[in-house]
Amino acid sequence: MSELKKSPEELKKMFEKYAAKEGDPDQLCKDELKLLIKAEFPHLLKGPTSLDDLFKELDKNGDGEVSFEEFQILIKKISQ
Ligand SMILES: [Ca+2]
Ligand SMILES: [Ca+2]
């Protein structure tokens, strides 16, 4: 099941589950993003994209964390 077949509610729950592990419960730090990607979308890291690249791409405001809004970029990427 590598294709995105998740409802917006499921995606929000997924985000919250990983975001709550450390620090700010509404933001994904790099470690949390790594856990989420490895568990939910491992195929994303099989290409030339590294986790660092992905994190930089998602963290639009450069605060070192990925908010749920920034997480939408990943969802769009996966849905393509
Ligand atoms: Ca967090
Ligand atoms: Ca951010």
Side-chain angles (χ1 to χ4, degrees), residues 24 26-30 55-56 58-70:
D24 191 327
D26 296 321
Q27 305 263 345
L28 286 172
C29 65
K30 198 183 279 184
F55 192 83
K56 268 186 219 145
L58 298 183
D59 184 17
K60 289 288 177 206
N61 66 358
D63 66 353
E65 309 244 34
V66 172
S67 63
F68 187 65
E69 199 186 330
E70 290 167 339

Side-chain angles (χ1 to χ4, degrees), residues 1-16:
M1 287 286 283
S2 63
E3 295 309 309
L4 189 72
K5 295 274 187 281
K6 292 187 190 298
S7 68
E9 290 76 25
E10 285 174 317
L11 289 165
K12 180 94 169 104
K13 278 202 186 111
M14 188 206 295
F15 176 88
E16 286 170 348

Side-chain angles (χ1 to χ4, degrees), residues 1-8 10-11 14 36 40-41 43-44 71-80:
M1 287 286 283
S2 63
E3 295 309 309
L4 189 72
K5 295 274 187 281
K6 292 187 190 298
S7 68
E10 285 174 317
L11 289 165
M14 188 206 295
L36 189 155
E40 312 286 345
F41 311 112
H43 59 289
L44 279 181
F71 184 65
Q72 303 303 313
I73 302 164
L74 180 72
I75 306 304
K76 284 200 191 106
K77 221 174 145 69
I78 296 160
S79 319
Q80 274 166 9

